[in-house]
Amino acid sequence: MNSDIACSCAKEEKTILTKDSYMAAVTKNVIVMALYFSINYINGSLVHTFFRHEIFSENPRYVLFIHMVINDMIQLTIAMVMHVTSYIFYTINVSLCCFLLMIAVFTTLNMPLNLASMAVERYIAICNPLRHVQICTVRRTYIIIGLIWLMGAIPILPDLFYLLATQPMQFFNSRIICGRDTLFYDPYLIEKKNISHMVYLSFVWLILVYTYFRVTFAARAAGSDARKARNTILLHGVQLLLCIFTYIGPLLEGLLVLRFPAFALDLKFMNYIFVHILPRFISPIVYGLRDQMFHKYLKRHLLCNVQKGGIQGKIQPF
């Protein structure tokens, strides 16, 4: 135990000593904040459009979509908070780190499971349209969302219980560089994490591949709706590929740092952008721009905001 703590302290000291310059730190955090507010403004507009028009809340497809958008907003917020605090404080309270990591893990695992649910819904709509209304109800959709959160909690809750059982209470009042592998550093927990990620992603990939090919076969004999569903599932696959970067990102970062040690901090920042920020752009593109119905109502909402802003600008020129 003492050797593990000493190793952790050594890593912490090394991390603190290898910091960005003041200008580099400010630039990186400004970029992160600008991307955060831009993406969450778009996602917030999607959420507002969804709840303002009842036609969306009665459609399981859009209920699953807006759940993914809200999940993305939560995940992006946690990622931004952890990134900014790492520059301001470097280390944070262990209890606070546990709380942030729990939410981060929940939302990270929720996304691929949500993608699988959306792919199944599209598969039923195209390949079994006569029973779609009976199978895919709004009530069942909310049950599925509850199961998604439950399945997202299963891999991380045993880690928390293990930490509570093996660490003294003063450990939770100490400070640590917040990261899953630095908090749950036991080799057994790390191996369990890797296996659970492989199982979850393999399960989702099987669902996406199966639904894509079934819908593709249906598209040959059907109209444009089936082709649109096939393309949507294909975009889900792109989203899932970006999800995979969450799990292989640290490995790639480590390999690149070994190859280019002089750019370690810049590589870490680029990995953060590609893993935690850019994937959040995909959801607005898939539904906010490609989906005709959502695009129509979203455009109406944005035009109303622009017009209101113009009127207020004329009334209050100062």
Side-chain angles (χ1 to χ4, degrees):
M1 178 69 71
N2 292 334
S3 62
D4 291 334
I5 295 175
C7 181
S8 176
C9 292
K11 290 180 180 178
E12 177 178 330
E13 181 180 358
K14 182 179 179 181
T15 303
I16 294 177
L17 290 174
T18 56
K19 297 186 297 183
D20 282 307
S21 65
Y22 176 76
M23 285 304 300
V26 171
T27 302
K28 289 179 180 179
N29 281 283
V30 168
I31 292 174
V32 168
M33 295 296 291
L35 290 173
Y36 168 76
F37 284 112
S38 299
I39 296 173
N40 267 4
Y41 173 76
I42 298 173
N43 285 338
S45 299
L46 295 175
V47 173
H48 180 269
T49 301
F50 174 86
F51 285 107
R52 188 173 182 180
H53 303 284
E54 190 175 352
I55 188 174
F56 297 119
S57 60
E58 296 176 348
N59 191 324
R61 175 187 182 189
Y62 293 111
V63 172
L64 285 170
F65 160 66
I66 211 63
H67 170 254
M68 184 169 64
V69 171
I70 295 173
N71 185 82
D72 283 351
M73 294 176 71
I74 296 172
Q75 185 182 34
L76 188 59
T77 300
I78 295 297
M80 184 274 297
V81 168
M82 293 179 68
H83 182 271
V84 173
T85 54
S86 70
Y87 276 89
I88 298 175
F89 303 109
Y90 305 114
T91 60
I92 64 174
N93 180 269
V94 171
S95 299
L96 177 59
C97 179
C98 283
F99 175 74
L100 294 175
L101 281 177
M102 294 288 286
I103 299 177
V105 173
F106 288 170
T107 52
T108 299
L109 290 177
N110 283 351
M111 187 174 183
L113 295 173
N114 203 99
L115 290 173
S117 301
M118 296 173 73
V120 171
E121 188 277 331
R122 286 293 81 199
Y123 160 72
I124 296 174
I126 299 302
C127 298
N128 199 356
L130 298 179
R131 298 194 59 195
H132 178 261
V133 177
Q134 290 78 22
I135 298 174
C136 299
T137 63
V138 174
R139 180 176 177 275
R140 289 180 178 176
T141 302
Y142 283 114
I143 293 175
I144 291 295
I145 291 174
L147 291 175
I148 288 173
W149 280 89
L150 178 61
M151 293 180 67
I154 290 175
I156 189 64
L157 285 180
D159 295 8
L160 179 62
F161 295 149
Y162 178 86
L163 202 66
L164 291 171
T166 57
Q167 296 294 340
M169 288 305 299
Q170 55 265 31
F171 171 75
F172 295 94
N173 295 322
S174 61
R175 301 179 69 84
I176 192 174
I177 299 174
C178 193
R180 185 168 180 178
D181 288 343
T182 56
L183 182 61
F184 305 107
Y185 57 84
D186 187 279
Y188 166 77
L189 297 180
I190 295 176
E191 186 66 22
K192 182 183 70 65
K193 177 197 70 173
N194 295 333
I195 294 174
S196 65
H197 287 171
M198 290 177 59
V199 171
Y200 272 59
L201 290 177
S202 299
F203 173 72
V204 175
W205 270 118
L206 287 174
I207 291 178
L208 288 183
V209 170
Y210 175 79
T211 54
Y212 175 78
F213 281 107
R214 288 299 302 269
V215 171
T216 299
F217 295 146
R220 295 178 179 177
S224 59
D225 288 342
R227 288 191 291 272
K228 288 180 180 178
R230 180 194 61 188
N231 293 335
T232 300
I233 293 174
L234 186 61
L235 286 172
H236 290 341
V238 174
Q239 287 178 280
L240 187 59
L241 282 174
L242 293 174
C243 289
I244 292 177
F245 278 106
T246 304
Y247 310 114
I248 66 175
L251 176 61
L252 292 176
E253 178 188 332
L255 294 175
L256 290 173
V257 167
L258 289 176
R259 181 68 178 84
F260 308 101
F263 301 97
L265 294 174
D266 294 330
L267 289 171
K268 184 178 181 65
F269 178 72
M270 292 303 297
N271 178 67
Y272 171 82
I273 294 295
F274 277 99
V275 169
H276 298 288
I277 303 293
L278 293 184
R280 311 284 87 78
F281 269 124
I282 302 298
S283 297
I285 293 175
V286 172
Y287 279 87
L289 300 179
R290 287 186 69 254
D291 186 271
Q292 294 181 358
M293 183 182 299
F294 218 106
H295 180 264
K296 179 179 70 175
Y297 284 96
L298 179 62
K299 184 178 180 180
R300 185 184 304 173
H301 164 67
L302 294 176
L303 287 176
C304 288
N305 286 343
V306 171
Q307 291 173 356
K308 288 180 181 179
I311 293 174
Q312 291 177 356
K314 292 178 180 179
I315 296 175
Q316 300 175 348
F318 56 86

